[in-house]
Amino acid sequence: MGYYIGVEPGVNIYVEDVNPTGNKTILLIHGWPGDHNLFEYQFNQLPKMGYRCIGIDCRGFGLSDKPWSGYDYNRLSDDIRCVVDALKLQNFTLGGHSTGGAICVRYMARHNGYGVSKLALFAAAAPSLIQRPYFPYGLQKQAVINIIQGVYKDRPNTLREFGSMIFHNYVSQPLSDWIFQLGLQAASWSTAAIANTWLGEERLFNDLKTIKVPTLILHGINDQVCLFPLAISQKYSIKNSKLVPFEACGHFLFYDQRERFNKELVQFIEE
């Protein structure tokens, strides 16, 4: 079931609600530059086990509206709150991948984890995607600057180059092409704006410390985008958290190790 939810005047967010009568709910937030379809292989399996799976397309991506502004973590987390309120969600698991994980972390801090009983972070871009003087574990700043410049000069080629970084294990060319097409559905200005947040002051060190609910951290050791030390930092910052390293696994761990990813997620929800 797909529909739109208004999050502010003139801006509507697309929501995919699979198995609305499921006995437990997980709300999934995608990473850059995709949309909710990145979780296709969770939507295929988890509803069979009785779960309600909800995916949203963040503003600027997928089927959602693509306004010029509103791409900071505060506004993006407020969009999640609008969806939670509209669907009257309670006691749900909130899961986010990459930048989606960062947005989930901001949601937990800004909205006091409203409605969330458990949090799951998948290769999350937290507490900082890039290296800083006090945090030497992320990507070099220039790497992100190159991405932003590439979006403005040749977005398709930039997304192709990004696609070459996200897998550790083999995926078919058609699957890679499909993910590439999901990225092209985003607005170019949205794609650049999200990348710009990685450079700015969107730091999540304090946000992580506010999280009180049980938290699962799944992260590929071979991740070339959100480097594995980010997961270690998340583990140390979130008191009630569990880190599960995925060996021989890259940034898109729900493709690199699909069966294990689903198993770990379901086990966590059931604990």
Side-chain angles (χ1 to χ4, degrees):
M1 179 184 299
Y3 42 82
Y4 285 90
I5 291 175
V7 295
E8 62 179 356
V11 180
N12 297 298
I13 297 296
Y14 180 76
V15 177
E16 190 74 40
D17 193 349
V18 184
N19 192 25
T21 60
N23 54 20
K24 291 186 178 181
T25 299
I26 179 166
L27 174 60
L28 295 168
I29 312 300
H30 65 84
W32 180 96
D35 60 34
H36 78 278
N37 286 295
L38 289 176
F39 294 111
E40 175 170 319
Y41 294 99
Q42 285 65 61
F43 293 146
N44 284 347
Q45 298 301 321
L46 270 61
K48 295 178 183 178
M49 305 174 191
Y51 297 108
R52 179 186 186 184
C53 293
I54 302 172
I56 74 172
D57 288 352
C58 294
R59 64 169 61 207
F61 297 82
L63 298 177
S64 288
D65 288 345
K66 299 171 175 61
W68 179 251
S69 61
Y71 298 101
D72 60 281
Y73 288 164
N74 283 349
R75 179 63 253 182
L76 293 166
S77 70
D78 290 350
D79 289 349
I80 295 177
R81 178 61 186 266
C82 291
V83 172
V84 170
D85 288 343
L87 299 182
K88 297 180 171 60
L89 301 181
Q90 297 179 344
N91 299 317
F92 65 95
T93 298
L94 178 63
H97 172 243
S98 195
T99 300
I103 297 167
C104 289
V105 170
R106 176 56 52 86
Y107 177 87
M108 298 301 293
R110 183 172 171 85
H111 295 281
N112 297 313
Y114 182 81
V116 178
S117 58
K118 294 184 178 182
L119 175 67
L121 301 175
F122 321 129
S128 172
L129 181 69
I130 65 169
Q131 296 176 11
R132 301 180 186 272
Y134 48 85
F135 188 74
Y137 305 113
L139 296 177
Q140 292 186 4
K141 183 178 181 179
Q142 188 61 47
V144 174
I145 292 174
N146 292 343
I147 288 174
I148 296 169
Q149 292 175 342
V151 168
Y152 287 127
K153 293 179 180 178
D154 188 341
R155 185 166 66 108
N157 184 64
T158 299
L159 296 186
R160 277 294 189 195
E161 290 179 347
F162 180 74
S164 69
M165 298 171 58
I166 60 179
F167 302 112
H168 179 74
N169 300 315
Y170 170 80
V171 296
S172 69
Q173 189 61 48
L175 190 146
S176 180
D177 290 344
W178 172 65
I179 292 176
F180 171 67
Q181 291 297 325
L182 294 182
L184 287 178
Q185 289 182 30
S188 58
W189 57 89
S190 309
T191 306
I194 292 292
N196 266 300
T197 65
W198 304 332
L199 292 178
E201 296 304 308
E202 294 286 17
R203 296 165 292 184
L204 300 164
F205 296 93
N206 291 330
D207 299 68
L208 288 169
K209 295 175 182 178
T210 69
I211 297 170
K212 301 296 191 297
V213 300
T215 301
L216 176 67
I217 302 166
L218 303 180
H219 212 110
I221 289 178
N222 307 102
D223 195 327
Q224 298 180 57
V225 180
C226 294
L227 306 184
F228 186 73
L230 271 64
I232 297 175
S233 181
Q234 294 162 27
K235 168 62 180 171
Y236 282 130
S237 298
I238 303 173
K239 289 184 178 180
N240 192 12
S241 62
K242 175 185 178 183
L243 170 59
V244 180
F246 277 32
E247 298 81 7
C249 185
H251 188 55
F252 273 36
L253 60 175
F254 38 80
Y255 292 104
D256 267 343
Q257 295 199 18
R258 184 183 310 158
E259 292 184 5
R260 185 183 179 194
F261 178 90
N262 287 348
K263 179 181 177 181
E264 293 286 354
L265 180 57
V266 169
Q267 180 178 314
F268 172 66
I269 295 172
E270 291 298 324
E271 289 176 348

